[in-house]
Every structure is written in structure tokens, then in C-alpha cells.
Amino acid sequence: MVTGASNQRKYNILVFGASGFTGKYVLAELIKSIPSDGKPPTIAIAGRTKAKLEDLLVNLSKESEGFSGKVDCFEVDFSSIEDITNVTGLSSVVISCVGPYQLFGEPIVEACVLSGTHYVDITGEPRFVERMFCKYNEAARSKDIMIVHYCGFDSVPADLGSLLVRQKLNSLGKAALSMEMFISFEPTLAANAINFTTFQSALVAIGAGRPDLSEFKSKLPPCTTYGKGVFCPLVPRENIHTGKYYTLFPVADPLVVNMSQSIASKYPEDKELYFGNRYTSLIPAKPYSFYSFNDGQAAIVTFISWTFILLLCQFKAGLYFLHKYPHWATFGHIQPPSAGGPSQAKIDGSSFKIEFLAKGVANEKLTEYSTDPSSAEPDCEIKAIFEGPNAGYNFTSKSVVIAALTILKEKVQEKRMLPKGVMTPSLAFSNTSFWETLSANPGVSFEIEELKSI
């Protein structure tokens, strides 16, 4: 096993799964992000077949301006934890792109903990992350390792955006009670560019059945929130706040926000590392995620498609059908693996928007509700908008690469005190340069409106 201090490794960053559809975007973004001044980071890639990795580098050398080709390749036996640990021990930070993570992700997390290597991924699979927290959080904390999940579109915009809104309210003397997130895509999700593996990850997460969360809740108890719940429509209806149609959206985002809040509550001694000394008194909010549509027809068509998929996921035969014929279940917009994934034109022509609506109450009123938190009534609301380029590939690749480079620069090279353990993006990066770097990218923006009384 090759290990050592993370700032003395042969490679700065190692990418697992670089030959996959999303992995190619991540590697290309990583190479593009190498600074022209100073010493560039050393990079390696790992996968099951070395020939595929070498072919990938040949293609990148043709497509990426200034690419030197100085990237080493490692063929890894994924059935051998020793083999994986030997490779992760050569790098300071690992980027994992090996979805579906529920099927393939754990050995890399385990190897990173064993070898003392920092880790980021782009999963959107809550059951996988919950299992990683239960099994590896304490070991990662004891070794001062950052294991950061959800570093792509699932769920940086929702997780970080929610925190920024809560911090804004806190600076105005208010506490957020609820956080509604209305997610929309241009064009709509049905016409948006989605690769089969991304779709497959969602199927694996949905098809896992009702999970037993007893162990997870024992290790990370849910935190206390204030106020009543928000109405969550299953059938699309018009929203008075956005003027659009919306329905409940079965994504990881609310679970991620809840996990962030619960970890912060579990480790109050680390709150200054998570948020800085200005925001250590933040209270948790109730998060909700909705799918937002410009018109009723698109809402109904997508609702029917999602309902059909959810029903089929309850049966083995249904899951087989969805894996074999995804284009039939998604009106032709998600193609089988043989189709090669969405075109670059479709990817470049799509974008996302998340509209946040937070309702809050004056901090001094919270003591009135201490015996009955659910009775808290909001007296104000604030809105915000997070926008970005194509969610699955352009934004995700930028986000996870910036996450890895942030850990490399601030944790490894500058030896800053940053959070440790298995965690979410808002906890790992709120008190770093991550958001400043991410928001400097074209098409990425976050704006908060003025506070209003209600």
C-alpha cells in the first residue's frame, strides 16, 4: 500500500471513471482549469481498462488546446480493495465519476479513507451517501480527511443556495423556517440532454425500495425545525409565487440540505469551520424541492412520464424495461447506451434555474416557540435565483473540479483548517474560495431579492 502525507503524494488529483460519459467532461474541465502561471497540478486517471483511458487521452490531446498529455493511467481491479487503495494512496485528492454509486462507489470511498486521501464525487444517490456516512464518517474525521459527496448539480446549487439564503436572513435578524426550491430547465427536462448512465443512477436510487434508515438516524439524528410544513402537490398546479406550474420533484436536494443541517447540529464545535464565525447560530429550515414548468402542457407530459417510471421501478420486470428501452418511457429523450449519449449541441443549448422562496421569522420570536416549534408562524419572505449552464455535464464538471482544486489548494497545500469527515458541499466549502471561483464561470449566477414582510 502506497500512502503518506497528502501533500507529499506523486499526484495532486486522480480521476476514477474518466472514460465514462460524464468522466470525460470532468477530465476535460480539469485540464482546462490548470493555471497557466505557477506549477500545474499533477493528474492521473484510473479505470478498468487502460486502453480506454489511453484512447481518451489521445482524443483530448486533439480537442483540448494546450493539453500536454502528461496524465498517467492506471488500470485498477475494482474487486480488489488493496489495488484501489494502492492507487488512491498516490494522490492527494480523488474525483470519483463511477456511477451508479450505489453499485460501484463504495470501494473508492473505503480506499480513500484507508489511504488518507481526500475525496469528492458527483453522486445524487442519497442511500449511497447515507451508507458512506454510517460506515466511514468517524474514521474520516479521525484522519482529518474530507469526503465530500454531491459536488455536481446534485446538489451544489440547492445545498449552497439554501445556505446563502439562510445566511442572508440571519444577517437581517431573521431565521428561515422553510426553504422551497423550484427547479426548471431550458429546454424542459424531457428535452434536456441526459445520458443513459445519469438516468440509470436515478433508476438504481428509486428501485432500491424503502430503505431502513434506523442506523443512519441513530448516527445522524434529524434536527429540530420550526413552523408548519409546506403543501407539496403531486399533480401539477399553478404557483402564485412564480407564475409557473409546479409539482413535487423526487430529487436528492431536500435530503442533502437536511443532511447539511443535521451534521452542523451534530458537531457544533465545527460550526466555525463550516460557516465562519459570523453564522454559527443558524437554525435549520424545512427544505422542499419542486419541478417548475412554463406551461401546463409540459407539466402534465413530464408528470405522466415520471409517474410511469416510478411505477415501473417497483418491479424487476419494470426496471428491466426501463434499462432496455429508456426512450419509450421518456418520450424519446433518453436514449439507450448504444446511442452514445446526447450531442454537444444539446448540452451546450441547455441550462437550469432554481428559484428559492424562504419564509422566516424574527430571531427574537423563536423563544416564544421553544415548547412547540411547529407553531412558529413566518412574518417575512425572501427570494433568490441560482442559474447555471447544462446541469448534468457543463455545470457538474466545473463544480466538482473546483471542489477538488479547492481542497488541493486550501486543505493540502496551504494546510488550512477545513471541515473533516463525510459531508455535503455547503459544509465543506462555505468557508473557502469555492463559491467565488464557481460564480466567476460564465452562466453561473446567484441573486437574492430584498426581504419582504408577510
Side-chain angles (χ1 to χ4, degrees), residues 24 28 55-67 344:
K24 294 175 184 177
D55 288 344
L56 171 63
L57 294 178
V58 170
N59 292 331
L60 276 176
S61 66
K62 298 175 183 177
E63 300 168 4
S64 301
E65 185 178 348
F67 174 54
Q344 189 61 49

Side-chain angles (χ1 to χ4, degrees), residues 151-163:
C151 290
F153 176 70
D154 288 317
S155 291
V156 164
D159 190 38
L160 189 59
S162 295
L163 176 62

Side-chain angles (χ1 to χ4, degrees), residues 11 31 36 39 44 53 85 127 150 160 179 207 227 238 249 274 296 301 320 346-347 385 415 451:
Y11 303 102
I31 291 169
S36 56
K39 186 179 179 181
L53 299 175
T85 305
R127 304 290 86 87
Y150 300 118
L160 189 59
M179 185 74 62
E238 193 168 6
F249 196 19
Y274 296 145
V301 169
Y320 173 82
K346 273 194 173 184
I347 291 172
I385 296 178
K415 299 183 180 179
L451 185 71

Side-chain angles (χ1 to χ4, degrees), residues 349-428:
S350 60
S351 61
F352 74 87
K353 177 192 291 186
I354 302 181
E355 298 172 85
F356 295 84
L357 173 64
K359 293 182 180 179
V361 66
N363 280 321
E364 60 267 20
K365 289 186 179 180
L366 289 177
T367 54
E368 300 175 15
Y369 306 114
S370 58
T371 57
D372 184 13
S374 64
S375 65
E377 293 289 343
D379 60 18
C380 65
E381 67 179 31
I382 194 168
K383 296 179 181 179
I385 296 178
F386 195 125
E387 294 184 279
N390 171 267
Y393 312 106
N394 290 346
F395 179 87
T396 287
S397 60
K398 292 178 189 298
S399 181
V400 74
V401 164
I402 292 170
L405 291 174
T406 299
I407 293 175
L408 175 65
K409 179 177 181 292
E410 300 188 27
K411 180 81 168 180
V412 177
Q413 296 172 344
E414 297 176 357
K415 299 183 180 179
R416 279 191 59 199
M417 286 288 291
L418 292 181
K420 57 191 175 183
V422 175
M423 67 193 120
T424 57
S426 68
L427 298 182

Side-chain angles (χ1 to χ4, degrees), residues 162 165-166 169 174-182 226-231 239-241 246 283-288 356-362 366 376-384 451-454:
S162 295
V165 172
R166 289 167 61 215
L169 282 170
K174 304 287 186 177
L177 303 181
S178 63
M179 185 74 62
E180 296 173 75
M181 298 170 281
F182 301 92
Y226 289 77
K228 298 179 176 64
V230 170
F231 175 69
N239 188 295
I240 60 173
H241 298 289
Y246 78 115
I283 72 159
K286 288 182 168 70
Y288 303 88
F356 295 84
L357 173 64
K359 293 182 180 179
V361 66
L366 289 177
E377 293 289 343
D379 60 18
C380 65
E381 67 179 31
I382 194 168
K383 296 179 181 179
L451 185 71
K452 295 180 180 179
S453 299
I454 56 175

Side-chain angles (χ1 to χ4, degrees), residues 17-328:
S19 61
F21 190 87
T22 308
K24 294 175 184 177
Y25 279 87
V26 171
L27 180 59
E29 183 64 32
L30 178 59
I31 291 169
K32 190 168 64 176
S33 300
I34 293 175
S36 56
D37 56 337
K39 186 179 179 181
T42 52
I43 300 171
I45 56 178
R48 290 182 177 84
T49 308
K50 191 172 184 179
K52 284 187 178 180
L53 299 175
E54 291 172 341
D55 288 344
L56 171 63
L57 294 178
V58 170
N59 292 331
L60 276 176
S61 66
K62 298 175 183 177
E63 300 168 4
S64 301
E65 185 178 348
F67 174 54
S68 65
K70 294 180 181 178
V71 176
D72 289 341
C73 303
F74 292 93
E75 185 171 290
V76 178
D77 178 3
F78 277 80
S79 66
S80 168
I81 191 64
E82 182 179 2
D83 199 21
I84 303 172
T85 305
N86 284 336
V87 176
T88 60
L90 296 171
S91 179
S92 298
V93 185
V94 160
I95 301 176
S96 176
C97 303
V98 296
Y101 291 85
Q102 192 132 316
L103 301 179
F104 309 118
E106 182 173 353
I108 299 173
V109 176
E110 180 182 0
C112 284
V113 173
L114 288 172
S115 61
T117 304
H118 303 293
Y119 167 100
V120 295
D121 69 28
I122 53 175
T123 186
E125 302 167 43
R127 304 290 86 87
F128 164 73
V129 176
E130 290 159 3
R131 192 169 77 247
M132 297 305 96
F133 183 88
C134 290
K135 296 184 72 170
Y136 303 109
N137 178 57
E138 292 306 323
R141 286 181 64 83
S142 70
K143 292 188 175 184
D144 195 22
I145 303 167
M146 301 181 75
I147 304 292
V148 193
H149 301 290
Y150 300 118
C151 290
F153 176 70
D154 288 317
S155 291
V156 164
D159 190 38
L160 189 59
S162 295
L163 176 62
L164 293 172
V165 172
R166 289 167 61 215
Q167 289 177 334
K168 177 65 175 179
L169 282 170
N170 186 261
S171 70
L172 298 172
K174 304 287 186 177
L177 303 181
S178 63
M179 185 74 62
E180 296 173 75
M181 298 170 281
F182 301 92
I183 305 171
S184 59
F185 300 88
E186 291 295 337
T188 57
L189 182 60
N192 202 19
I194 302 175
N195 183 49
F196 175 78
T197 303
T198 305
F199 179 66
Q200 184 186 30
S201 295
L203 294 182
V204 169
I206 296 169
R210 187 177 296 275
D212 180 1
L213 298 177
S214 57
E215 182 184 7
F216 178 65
K217 288 182 178 180
S218 70
K219 293 182 179 292
L220 189 63
C223 44
T224 301
T225 55
Y226 289 77
K228 298 179 176 64
V230 170
F231 175 69
C232 300
L234 294 177
V235 178
R237 61 180 293 168
E238 193 168 6
N239 188 295
I240 60 173
H241 298 289
T242 64
K244 299 178 180 180
Y245 289 83
Y246 78 115
T247 184
L248 193 64
F249 196 19
V251 290
D253 294 345
L255 296 176
V256 178
V257 175
N258 272 331
M259 187 173 185
S260 299
Q261 297 177 151
S262 294
I263 293 175
S265 297
K266 182 178 176 70
Y267 301 106
E269 68 275 16
D270 287 351
K271 280 191 176 181
E272 192 167 326
L273 294 180
Y274 296 145
F275 310 127
N277 57 17
R278 291 181 61 196
Y279 299 112
T280 56
S281 61
L282 289 173
I283 72 159
K286 288 182 168 70
Y288 303 88
S289 184
F290 303 103
Y291 196 173
S292 184
F293 306 86
N294 290 324
D295 62 82
Q297 181 179 352
I300 292 171
V301 169
T302 307
F303 172 74
I304 292 171
S305 179
W306 271 112
T307 302
F308 182 53
I309 290 170
L310 289 170
L311 287 173
L312 288 177
C313 281
Q314 309 309 310
F315 309 97
K316 288 184 179 180
L319 282 170
Y320 173 82
F321 174 83
L322 290 170
H323 280 87
K324 190 76 173 177
Y325 308 106
H327 50 299
W328 288 7

